[in-house]
Amino acid sequence: MAGGWSSDGAVQDQIDATIDDAVQRARSELPRGESLVRCEECDATIPEARRLAIPGVRLCVACQSEHDKKEVSRSGYNRRGSKDSQLR
Ligand SMILES: [Zn+2]
């Protein structure tokens, strides 16, 4: 079987390249720039600890959790149509 699997090294190179690519893409998608001192939505002061913990943070804790809830309900509960029709 000697010589038949000479591409092993190339495959490993490809995997390494893919990981490098993913790492670089992830890095470029990290939030950048200034954390906001005041919440973008409600104008509350964002604690310094939060600003340091989340670079580029834009929302206060309360608004962020509201935001997260909306994300969940948007992706998780799409069956309101059938419920409304039962009320008729
Ligand atoms: Zn807020």
Side-chain angles (χ1 to χ4, degrees):
M1 286 290 279
W5 299 94
S6 59
S7 63
D8 278 4
V11 169
Q12 188 58 50
D13 283 352
Q14 213 169 28
I15 292 168
D16 288 348
T18 304
I19 292 170
D20 280 351
D21 198 45
V23 168
Q24 283 195 336
R25 217 175 315 147
R27 279 197 187 131
S28 69
E29 283 170 9
L30 284 174
R32 291 281 159 161
E34 300 284 307
S35 301
L36 295 184
V37 176
R38 285 170 177 277
C39 173
E40 195 173 59
E41 296 217 344
C42 74
D43 213 34
T45 304
I46 299 173
E48 187 180 5
R50 178 169 169 78
R51 284 187 273 134
L52 292 176
I54 311 170
V57 66
R58 309 179 69 85
L59 299 175
C60 71
V61 178
C63 287
Q64 184 66 61
S65 64
E66 279 299 307
H67 194 76
D68 290 348
K69 262 188 250 169
K70 280 184 211 157
E71 289 291 315
V72 168
S73 63
R74 211 182 303 157
S75 57
Y77 302 94
N78 275 332
R79 314 199 60 178
R80 289 182 71 188
S82 57
K83 197 178 178 188
D84 285 347
S85 60
Q86 283 174 9
L87 296 173
R88 301 190 66 183

